[in-house]
Amino acid sequence: MKSAKLGKNTSEVEVTNVSTHGFWLLLDEEELFLPFDQFPWFRNVPIDELLKVTLQHPNHLYWPKLDIDLSVESIRHPEDFPLVSKVFSTKPGKEKF
């Protein structure tokens, strides 16, 4: 007797829990926590947009509706990827952080 070939894994990554402090991702067998203080662009997004995450490559996550992509390593080791992004207005001296 021969076993049937397994189908494609459809849940390579999923958001498993959301709290006021951050959210958890299940990535294959690994659970990762993204605290909002280290990943602030997720803090005020609608839950349905937070849940729509895809695994683009083995080490690359993407939230299409939010246009956010992250390396899995930046979640595992955020200390190695300091938050340095700044958004500037069109007027000099009127930076927004």
Side-chain angles (χ1 to χ4, degrees), residues 1-7:
M1 185 166 151
K2 199 171 189 183
S3 297
K5 184 178 175 184
L6 294 176

Side-chain angles (χ1 to χ4, degrees), residues 8-19:
K8 183 180 176 193
N9 184 356
T10 58
S11 51
E12 295 168 336
V13 61
E14 80 176 277
V15 175
T16 59
N17 194 7
V18 180
S19 79

Side-chain angles (χ1 to χ4, degrees), residues 58-76:
N59 194 37
H60 184 91
L61 300 168
Y62 184 59
W63 285 261
K65 293 277 187 176
L66 304 173
D67 195 27
I68 295 173
D69 59 323
L70 291 175
S71 159
V72 174
E73 285 304 307
S74 72
I75 300 168
R76 288 182 183 129

Side-chain angles (χ1 to χ4, degrees), residues 13-26 31-45 47 49-53 61 63 66 68 70 75:
V13 61
E14 80 176 277
V15 175
T16 59
N17 194 7
V18 180
S19 79
T20 57
H21 304 288
F23 65 100
W24 287 261
L25 285 176
L26 183 60
E31 191 167 40
L32 302 167
F33 180 66
L34 287 81
F36 292 137
D37 62 339
Q38 292 177 341
F39 300 92
W41 43 88
F42 293 110
R43 184 180 306 272
N44 295 313
V45 302
I47 293 293
E49 292 179 11
L50 187 65
L51 297 175
K52 293 180 182 151
V53 56
L61 300 168
W63 285 261
L66 304 173
I68 295 173
L70 291 175
I75 300 168

